[in-house]
Amino acid sequence: MSGLDELEDQAEKRRRTRTPPPPRNPHGPKTPTDEVSGAPMPRAGDAPAEQAAEAAKVVLRPPSTPQEVVAYLDSFTALTQPLATATDLTAQEREIRTQYEQAAAGAELGFIIEGMVAKWTKAGELYRDEFERFEDYCTANDRSIRRINQLMQVAPLGLHILRRLGKNFSRLRLNESHAHHLLPLAERAGPDAAVVVYEALLRADQRITGRLIRAVLARLPADRWDPDEAASIIKAFLAEDVRVLPADRSQAAVGVPIETEIGRIQQTERRATRLARQQPDWARRIATELEQAAQRIRAELEQP
């Protein structure tokens, strides 16, 4: 038995033996709607079981382009509220939760997918059959609620940017830092404002970094938003021979406690362990990357 299998067995034993908190009181009737289209969604029992399963089906290969990420997320049933009022999940809800958890376990899928499935899990209360609170569900699955909240905050903006720009910029490489820095502008002027800024940087063929985004946003008026004015300001800034960028924050990482770094590695290992049974190819790749990283570190330590 491999180390991943042993860890998976241990995790399964913990899940079987834990005692869940008492269930919360069920809410009154709600009418769920699709997050993308806004159309009403059928309740459990409105369609045959095979149709409900088809509605929750997702593609289990990792998307690699912006359009594939959008299509992958569009293949989910995006919950904005529970499909039923009972504490026990319906068959459709259990199917949807399984697909969400498989996606969340795929570390390579990125912050947008992980954040959106967490957001939908919380909105649909897909934890309610075992836990009273979403926080308890996250903790039981070895996921930091602080981290999950961060992902849920930035993921919708990231998805909006991919949806608007992914078709014209197939090599778009939006990361969490980019979305995080654009979030204040999106909250102030709407998500399309963030799209305008990011598109201007893409069209200028710039290497986009968090520092560059912060510098651009610092040039924009804080008391108003006009997309044409913003585009002109950004174009002028990028044409300057000498740009003054905000201080590099990378040095702050030096002061990160060793326990924090170890915790990140352990979180990756736990996610790979959960992934091992359902998607072994991904788990093997993660295990290989961790092993190779350890070898590189040891090699560097052995240098005179």
Side-chain angles (χ1 to χ4, degrees):
M1 180 179 291
S2 67
L4 284 175
D5 288 336
E6 291 176 354
L7 289 172
E8 174 67 17
D9 289 339
Q10 293 172 11
E12 181 63 26
K13 289 178 182 177
R14 289 196 298 270
R15 285 193 290 270
R16 289 199 301 263
T17 57
R18 69 172 181 255
T19 301
R24 58 165 181 74
N25 293 328
H27 294 308
K30 298 178 180 178
T31 302
T33 58
D34 183 88
E35 184 163 327
V36 177
S37 66
M41 292 175 55
R43 292 183 178 275
D46 289 352
E50 60 270 18
Q51 294 182 8
E54 183 67 24
K57 189 180 297 180
V58 298
V59 179
L60 294 179
R61 70 174 184 83
S64 59
T65 68
Q67 285 182 278
E68 286 183 355
V69 171
V70 172
Y72 181 81
L73 284 170
D74 284 348
S75 70
F76 284 76
T77 300
L79 298 181
T80 58
Q81 52 191 326
L83 296 181
T85 60
T87 299
D88 290 337
L89 299 184
T90 65
Q92 182 184 10
E93 287 177 313
R94 287 194 298 272
E95 177 73 18
I96 293 172
R97 183 173 67 181
T98 297
Q99 302 294 348
Y100 284 178
E101 290 179 343
Q102 288 177 347
E108 295 178 0
L109 293 183
F111 78 98
I112 295 176
I113 292 176
E114 186 174 3
M116 292 308 299
V117 297
K119 177 181 172 68
W120 296 334
T121 297
K122 183 177 182 179
E125 297 180 3
L126 298 181
Y127 53 86
R128 68 181 188 273
D129 58 331
E130 293 187 77
F131 304 99
E132 184 177 359
R133 303 185 309 157
F134 178 65
E135 291 82 351
D136 298 328
Y137 167 77
C138 292
T139 300
N141 286 277
D142 298 320
R143 303 173 74 192
S144 163
I145 186 60
R146 178 175 179 274
R147 177 66 180 142
I148 292 300
N149 283 334
Q150 291 173 342
L151 292 171
M152 290 192 298
Q153 184 180 35
V154 299
L157 177 59
L159 178 58
H160 184 77
I161 293 174
L162 291 194
R163 198 181 292 281
R164 292 291 305 276
L165 301 179
K167 184 178 295 186
N168 295 328
F169 299 92
S170 60
R171 298 180 63 85
L172 186 158
R173 292 295 180 266
L174 176 74
N175 63 38
E176 185 179 348
S177 173
H178 300 168
H180 174 76
H181 289 300
L182 289 167
L183 192 60
L185 174 63
E187 292 174 343
R188 175 170 64 88
D192 282 343
V195 172
V196 169
V197 172
Y198 206 74
E199 182 176 12
L201 296 177
L202 289 170
R203 292 193 179 282
D205 197 24
Q206 295 289 310
R207 178 178 176 271
I208 302 177
T209 65
R211 291 181 67 198
L212 180 59
I213 293 175
R214 297 203 323 267
V216 166
L217 296 180
R219 295 293 188 95
L220 301 180
D223 59 344
R224 63 183 185 278
W225 169 256
D226 179 89
D228 294 330
E229 180 186 26
S232 298
I233 292 173
I234 295 170
K235 183 177 180 179
F237 171 73
L238 296 178
E240 294 178 359
D241 293 331
V242 179
R243 302 178 196 158
V244 178
L245 298 179
D248 190 351
R249 296 178 179 176
S250 62
Q251 294 300 318
V254 176
V256 175
I258 186 65
E259 291 80 6
T260 301
E261 296 292 353
I262 292 175
R264 292 169 180 167
I265 297 172
Q266 290 174 335
Q267 183 178 25
T268 299
E269 175 270 320
R270 288 192 294 265
R271 295 175 69 187
T273 300
R274 293 197 301 271
L275 183 66
R277 297 293 180 88
Q278 297 171 336
Q279 302 174 48
D281 290 341
W282 289 2
R284 289 190 190 99
R285 180 173 175 183
I286 294 169
T288 299
E289 291 292 337
L290 290 173
E291 290 167 354
Q292 292 176 351
Q295 292 172 0
R296 289 192 295 269
I297 294 171
R298 292 191 184 99
E300 187 66 25
L301 290 172
E302 293 172 359
Q303 294 294 325

